[in-house]
Amino acid sequence: MKGRRTNYEIYWEILVFCWKPKTFTSIINRCDLNSKIGQEHVHFLTEKNYLLLQIQDDKKTYITTEQAQEYITLFTQLYRKMFDNSPSFKL
């Protein structure tokens, strides 16, 4: 499957990437998003309590919450059924 990613795919990518704390800059770089779109996605996931903003020594990072595991699992299952493979990050 090629082409534009859906918001659901981008949410999945962000959540999987943020299992360990990540800065906003690393999220948008890794997920290939511009700053505005990245802010919208991170804000949405934070509002849903799927991402947690951590501030330590003036460093802001985001980490995936346990609550997000249900979304990750369901999205992965749906994706496998539709496309006969697991979603993945582009290399």
Side-chain angles (χ1 to χ4, degrees):
M1 184 175 107
K2 297 262 183 195
R4 296 180 66 105
R5 295 171 293 171
T6 66
N7 284 338
Y8 305 110
E9 290 171 297
I10 296 169
Y11 296 146
W12 180 87
E13 277 189 295
I14 292 170
L15 293 172
V16 171
F17 182 61
C18 291
W19 272 121
K20 293 184 180 178
K22 304 292 182 192
T23 63
F24 177 74
T25 302
S26 66
I27 293 169
I28 63 171
N29 287 337
R30 180 63 181 93
C31 297
D32 195 22
L33 303 170
N34 67 40
S35 184
K36 181 183 176 204
I37 300 296
Q39 286 174 348
E40 291 171 1
H41 283 74
V42 166
H43 177 75
F44 177 81
L45 292 170
T46 303
E47 288 287 310
K48 294 292 184 187
N49 295 315
Y50 288 178
L51 275 183
L52 177 66
L53 172 62
Q54 300 178 325
I55 302 173
Q56 186 174 2
D57 300 326
D58 292 331
K59 183 177 181 180
K60 295 180 181 181
T61 59
Y62 292 89
I63 189 165
T64 301
T65 66
E66 286 297 319
Q67 189 173 335
Q69 185 57 51
E70 181 180 17
Y71 175 84
I72 294 168
T73 300
L74 290 172
F75 178 82
T76 303
Q77 290 171 349
L78 177 65
Y79 197 95
R80 282 182 181 152
K81 286 182 181 190
M82 291 181 71
F83 301 108
D84 296 326
N85 63 0
S86 295
S88 63
F89 291 114
K90 57 190 166 306
L91 297 175

